[in-house]
Amino acid sequence: MAVADVVVSFMLLVSIYGILALGLNVKYGHTGLLDFGHVGFYLIGAYTAALFVLGPDDPTDFTVYLIGLGDIPILGSWVTAILAGTILAGIVGGLVTLPTIRLREDYLAITVLGISVIFQRVIQSETWLANGPDALRGYSPPLQGPFPVTGETIIGAVLLGLIVFVAWGLTTGVLGMVSQAPSATATAASPSSIQRGRDDSTRPRDRVYTLATFGFTHVDAIAKQVSRTAAVAGGLAGILAAAAVFMIGITLTVGVIVSVYTWIVAAIALREHYADLSWSAITTGIGLGTGLLVALIPLPVLEAVGIKIIITVSALATLVGVYYYVTTQIDALSNNRLAIVGVGSVWFISLWYFVLPILGPLGSGDIAGVAQTLFQNIVWLLRFGGDVGIGYAIAGIGELTVKVDYPRFQLAGFVLFFVGLYAIVERTVESPFGRVLRAIRNDETVVESLGKNPFTYKLQSMVIGSALGGFAGALWAMYAQGLTFTTFAPRVTFITLLIMFVGGAGNNKGMIIGAALFWAFQQATTQLAAFFPPAIRVNIQAFRLVVVGILFLIVLYYLPEGLLGSRTSAATTTTTDGDSSGPQRAQRTEMNSSGEHSDSTTNTSVDNDRIPDMGTQRELEGEE
């Protein structure tokens, strides 16, 4: 399997678990409800979706289940199945909440954990419901029939256009956020700021952004919103790609353009993210990533299992020791420890993705094989090889068979779902409703004193979070194409908790980081285990749970706020009357906010000053 195919599978899992973590983050990160039974709603969404798309039960195939609506138009479609799984998970989450929500902290967590185990045992023991302990199978994901597609038919061209729409739109959205220079918000009072803005508009990244959006960045009605610009650009790119592929047959050209564009934007985003990092820190990060690669070399080289383990563990321990020493002894590096790890990770991934795959053909002197391997990994949008596809002969690379397989189409849909749900959750937690949830997390007594009913908001939080868990379960059913009760063990909840805490509880962006890190660890250990005999390989993969538990404890102890930190609303620190305490002044303005103010400036101060994570009385009262 090509490295690009591994990355596609990795991103599919990140999308599913990112949505699952978003649901748990709504419950715990924003409301403070610790739910150890989150996997139960994941199970409900998965089995409900599968039972909707399955055909009528046929006892002769040794699969027994309650309902099968797959032959009924619309009702048996995946759209209905996902909606049904999401809604049912939310309803069950609300019903579970009614008798348990009055419990506090660990009692609530353990109670909901017990309920999720009951769900799992019902699936296991009740054969008539979903085939009992055996796998529930016999269904296919949507639109799988036409794949692999080459663009030679209208359906193939449209499906490829949809993939281009998602890839181009999301990539353009990232570039748009990166390209928003500080000078764009500068006031017109300073001529120098205007000149800086003109100079910034000529930056290469801004020219790329203008080209990628087909010039729409100059249209004020569209350019004011990055998401709208990205959607328009993605739609136009998808239409142009579908038309070009169908009429001219340039599938490979489209794949190259879209893939290279995503790599360019990724490079720009990384450069901007680490722009303020010193060269010493960047060099240290590169050394860290290279050292990690060197430490792993004994695994594929040495034959003796004991020797390779000893040498590898010793090399890794030495690397960690050197990193700890230089980051504690050198002042220029001590404040950039996580950034150094980030640079090292990016460098290691780059070596793994681009360099390691070409070592084999390079060692045998196959220059065309080197070029072909590198080309296939760069053009990640397309699948190469096999008997089905369009054949190309490229000078210096050789003959290639090109097509678009179903996993890439599925990835486009999953990522689109993830981004859409992320945007919805972000709007929700930014609203007065979200501020009430965070106020309940901090101190629900204060919320009660302001006339709000914490029980109602907790119930709504559990419904929303459980529904998101059900949505993730429906996507898992689509991805796995078969369900077993063992998949929905309680460990899934604790994996989701780890994802949430690693990224930052209460920070929705952290769910992306946490899910990516967890599944990167899973993929890495799976590939490392391949260098050991089968008997040891099983033990190594089982030992991952122990490592995950240790990592969980380390994160809770050393990074209680996560990598991105918790979501907070910083109190205003400026003063107008000599009081330098932002929170104290926020409390005072909240108490005065119910009075009449003749000065509009005073009103603005009341609205803007707030205790962190709580919001003003006016904001809480505005959520009805």
Side-chain angles (χ1 to χ4, degrees):
M1 180 182 291
V3 180
D5 298 330
V6 176
V7 175
V8 168
S9 176
F10 160 76
M11 293 182 66
L12 282 168
L13 293 170
V14 169
S15 300
I16 295 172
Y17 271 73
I19 296 173
L20 186 63
L22 277 177
L24 188 59
N25 194 39
V26 170
K27 298 178 184 178
Y28 179 78
H30 294 286
T31 318
L33 301 175
L34 187 57
D35 180 4
F36 283 173
H38 191 55
V39 67
F41 311 108
Y42 186 52
L43 176 150
I44 290 173
Y47 274 92
T48 301
L51 290 173
F52 262 74
V53 297
L54 278 167
D57 184 18
D58 183 4
T60 61
D61 63 358
F62 305 102
T63 304
V64 181
Y65 44 87
L66 178 61
I67 59 175
L69 306 175
D71 292 345
I72 302 177
I74 300 177
L75 189 60
S77 66
W78 272 102
V79 174
T80 305
I82 294 175
L83 288 175
T86 303
I87 294 172
L88 184 59
I91 292 174
V92 174
L95 295 176
V96 169
T97 301
L98 292 176
T100 61
I101 200 66
R102 300 187 188 278
L103 300 176
R104 297 297 182 98
E105 298 174 353
D106 50 344
Y107 297 102
L108 172 63
I110 294 173
T111 301
V112 183
L113 172 62
I115 293 175
S116 71
V117 173
I118 292 174
F119 291 160
Q120 186 190 26
R121 290 296 177 260
V122 168
I123 293 295
Q124 178 186 3
S125 59
E126 301 298 327
T127 306
W128 58 270
L129 180 59
N131 211 35
D134 296 327
L136 182 64
R137 55 191 180 274
Y139 62 90
S140 300
L143 300 176
Q144 190 178 27
F147 285 90
V149 298
T150 59
E152 296 175 325
T153 64
I154 295 179
I155 295 178
V158 170
L159 292 175
L160 179 58
L162 290 175
I163 299 175
V164 172
F165 160 68
V166 175
W168 196 276
L170 294 179
T171 306
T172 303
V174 173
L175 182 60
M177 291 185 289
V178 172
S179 297
Q180 286 182 330
S183 59
T185 58
T187 60
S190 174
S192 61
S193 65
I194 297 177
Q195 183 62 40
R196 284 197 304 271
R198 292 173 180 172
D199 295 339
D200 289 344
S201 64
T202 62
R203 291 174 300 185
R205 71 180 186 191
D206 293 329
R207 290 197 294 268
V208 172
Y209 185 49
T210 302
L211 182 63
T213 56
F214 305 96
F216 282 110
T217 53
H218 298 297
V219 181
D220 292 339
I222 297 178
K224 289 180 180 179
Q225 294 186 7
V226 172
S227 58
R228 185 183 302 176
T229 305
V232 172
L236 285 176
I239 294 172
L240 292 175
V245 167
F246 179 69
M247 292 187 296
I248 309 176
I250 53 173
T251 303
L252 182 60
T253 304
V254 170
V256 170
I257 293 174
V258 177
S259 299
V260 171
Y261 173 54
T262 59
W263 288 117
I264 291 174
V265 172
I268 292 174
L270 287 173
R271 181 182 180 277
E272 292 299 320
H273 182 71
Y274 294 111
D276 297 331
L277 203 61
S278 64
W279 278 108
S280 60
I282 294 176
T283 304
T284 304
I286 293 175
L288 181 64
T290 306
L292 178 59
L293 182 63
V294 172
L296 298 176
I297 288 179
L299 293 179
V301 172
L302 300 178
E303 295 292 337
V305 175
I307 296 178
K308 72 167 59 175
I309 291 178
I310 292 174
I311 294 178
T312 301
V313 172
S314 300
L316 290 175
T318 302
L319 181 65
V320 172
V322 171
Y323 163 76
Y324 179 79
Y325 176 80
V326 298
T327 54
T328 54
Q329 298 298 320
I330 302 177
D331 294 336
L333 303 179
S334 59
N335 295 327
N336 296 303
R337 295 179 180 177
L338 288 178
I340 291 173
V341 174
V343 172
S345 301
V346 172
W347 180 253
F348 177 82
I349 293 173
S350 300
L351 295 176
W352 168 76
Y353 192 91
F354 294 106
V355 178
L356 291 185
I358 67 174
L359 293 181
L362 186 63
S364 60
D366 184 8
I367 304 301
V370 172
Q372 188 174 116
T373 301
L374 189 60
F375 182 78
Q376 291 179 11
N377 285 328
I378 291 176
V379 187
W380 61 267
L381 189 73
L382 303 176
R383 179 72 183 268
F384 296 88
D387 298 330
V388 179
I390 301 177
Y392 290 90
I394 304 176
I397 295 179
E399 296 184 357
L400 295 173
T401 302
V402 176
K403 57 183 175 294
V404 179
D405 60 352
Y406 186 74
R408 282 157 173 80
F409 176 74
Q410 195 174 49
L411 174 63
F414 282 19
V415 170
L416 191 62
F417 284 141
F418 185 22
V419 172
L421 291 174
Y422 172 84
I424 292 173
V425 173
E426 273 288 288
R427 283 179 172 264
T428 301
V429 299
E430 286 285 359
S431 67
F433 173 79
R435 289 192 287 269
V436 174
L437 294 184
R438 292 194 292 276
I440 293 173
R441 179 193 64 190
N442 292 337
D443 190 347
E444 63 181 81
T445 304
V446 175
V447 178
E448 288 180 337
S449 68
L450 294 173
K452 301 297 178 182
N453 186 357
F455 178 84
T456 303
Y457 286 93
K458 288 181 179 180
L459 177 62
Q460 295 177 58
S461 175
M462 285 290 290
V463 169
I464 294 173
S466 301
L468 288 171
F471 193 100
L475 294 187
W476 173 260
M478 186 189 302
Y479 170 77
Q481 302 184 42
L483 301 174
T484 58
F485 74 96
T486 55
T487 304
F488 305 94
R491 67 174 179 271
V492 175
T493 296
F494 294 100
I495 289 173
T496 311
L497 281 171
L498 175 62
I499 290 172
M500 181 181 66
F501 282 116
V502 167
N507 193 325
N508 294 325
K509 293 180 181 177
M511 304 307 102
I512 306 174
I513 301 297
L517 289 177
F518 173 77
W519 281 108
F521 170 78
Q522 293 290 98
Q523 292 275 11
T525 52
T526 299
Q527 294 196 18
L528 293 178
F531 296 113
F532 293 89
I536 301 178
R537 189 180 307 161
V538 174
N539 295 330
I540 292 176
Q541 292 179 344
F543 187 70
R544 291 188 301 191
L545 292 176
V546 178
V547 177
V548 167
I550 295 174
L551 291 176
F552 201 169
L553 295 176
I554 292 175
V555 169
L556 290 177
Y557 186 80
Y558 289 102
L559 291 172
E561 297 293 326
L563 293 176
L564 298 185
S566 298
R567 187 190 201 94
T568 57
S569 298
T572 304
T573 57
T574 57
T575 61
T576 57
D577 55 358
D579 185 0
S580 60
S581 175
Q584 291 179 1
R585 186 163 53 85
Q587 291 179 2
R588 185 174 64 252
T589 55
E590 283 181 348
M591 291 185 295
N592 294 334
S593 63
S594 60
E596 294 294 332
H597 299 275
S598 58
D599 188 357
S600 60
T601 304
T602 307
N603 285 329
T604 303
S605 176
V606 173
D607 287 340
N608 291 336
D609 297 342
R610 59 175 66 91
I611 301 174
D613 283 334
M614 287 184 57
T616 64
Q617 178 178 350
R618 177 173 299 178
E619 289 169 337
L620 295 179
E621 290 178 349
E623 169 54 32
E624 295 295 344

